[in-house]
Structure formats: C-alpha cells, structure tokens
C-alpha cells in the first residue's frame, strides 16, 4: 500500500485533505475534501465559495482544473507501484455547463494499467449537486517506475 493511502486511511478525509494542501498549497484555494481514495479512484468535494468564482458568479475554470489535478494526482499516486514517480504532462478540458453549486471531482483510472511506465490518460469528471457534469478533463500522467 502506498504511503499516501496509508495516511488517508489513518488520518481520515478531512485531516488528509489538509495535509495534501500543506504539501501543495495551491490546492488549498479550492478548500477540497478528498472523500474517497483508493487505487484507480479518487473523489473530492469542492464547496461553492465566492473566492473561487468568476465574473459570472460560477466556479472559475482554473478552480475546476485545480480540482481535476488534485483527484487525478492523488489517485495516480496511490495506483502506481511502490517506488514509482509521476508528473502531470498535459491536460485537455471541456467546460460543459455553469458550475453554480458545490461540485464533486471524480478521477477514475480503474481501467488503466498502473503496473507499466509511460503516459496514462486519466479522465476526471466534475459534477454539480444535481449530478450534472459541468466539466471534464483528460490529464496525461507520465509514470516512471523504480529501477
């Protein structure tokens, strides 16, 4: 089991989320709570707050990208073999609807082969409280395995 997954299981969602924001402070701008984390899957809730809105009163595009990178990165970290490393290499996004409520970001990498090195395309969907998909991302994670 990965060190991050051990920490999530021991500390719980709220405390683990705070630790992640301490390690990567920019994530704290979206005030996330990572509620589910396991190999191949991560989910986080992002509260609707004025601080992350745009001139239209909806969640800003970059806040949605930040949420996508958070769940894709933590999911990748707990999915790769021990000693492996990863880094985001690219992100393609689509804004599908206005995000006017709290949102949930979901990274599903369950169909990916995490035992091999190379680029992995992680899909992230962001849903509003009604279950409407407001945003989707495809994040290329470059994985290197221990030698």
């Amino acid at each position: 089991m990965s060190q991050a997954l051990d920490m999530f299981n021991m500390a719980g969602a709220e405390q683990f989320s705070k630790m992640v924001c301490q390690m990567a402070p920019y994530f704290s701008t979206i005030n996330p709570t990572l509620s589910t984390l396991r190999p191949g899957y991560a989910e986080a809730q992002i509260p609707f707050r004025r601080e992350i809105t745009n001139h239209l009163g909806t969640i800003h595009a970059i806040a949605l990208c930040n949420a996508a990178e958070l769940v894709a990165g933590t999911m990748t970290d707990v999915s790769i073999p021990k000693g492996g490393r990863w880094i985001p290499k690219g992100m393609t996004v689509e804004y599908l609807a206005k995000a006017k409520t709290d949102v949930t970001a979901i990274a599903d990498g369950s169909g990916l082969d995490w035992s091999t090195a190379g680029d992995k395309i992680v899909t992230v969907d962001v849903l509003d409280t009604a279950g409407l998909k407001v945003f989707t991302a495809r994040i290329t994670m470059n994985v290197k395995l221990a030698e």
Side-chain angles (χ1 to χ4, degrees):
M1 189 177 303
S2 79
Q3 183 178 13
L5 191 52
D6 282 342
M7 288 171 43
F8 177 81
N9 290 332
M10 287 179 15
E14 299 263 341
Q15 195 61 31
F16 179 78
S17 299
K18 288 178 183 175
M19 289 187 283
V20 168
C21 290
Q22 286 292 316
M23 292 182 341
Y26 187 67
F27 288 133
S28 67
T29 63
I30 58 172
N31 195 27
T33 300
L34 280 147
S35 57
T36 307
L37 182 62
R38 63 179 181 264
Y41 189 88
E43 191 171 306
Q45 285 66 45
I46 312 302
F48 184 91
R49 299 174 11 258
R50 185 179 187 288
E51 294 86 350
I52 61 169
T53 59
N54 57 27
H55 65 290
L56 302 172
T58 63
I59 297 178
H60 193 281
I62 299 307
L64 295 169
C65 290
N66 195 4
E69 187 175 339
L70 170 67
V71 293
T74 53
M75 186 270 301
T76 298
D77 196 71
V78 304
S79 299
I80 61 175
K82 187 174 179 112
R85 297 176 296 129
W86 60 273
I87 191 163
K89 187 174 168 182
M91 182 186 305
T92 303
V93 301
E94 291 181 63
Y95 306 101
L96 306 172
K98 292 178 181 176
K100 301 178 190 180
T101 68
D102 296 350
V103 295
T104 300
I106 302 166
D108 187 353
S110 60
L112 298 173
D113 179 3
W114 294 105
S115 66
T116 61
D119 289 348
K120 313 292 179 187
I121 308 296
V122 175
T123 299
V124 177
D125 291 325
V126 178
L127 312 174
D128 69 10
T129 55
L132 176 69
K133 188 188 306 184
V134 297
F135 171 93
T136 190
R138 292 172 42 87
I139 302 175
T140 303
M141 295 293 193
N142 183 257
V143 174
K144 300 213 183 305
L145 301 180
E147 295 180 21

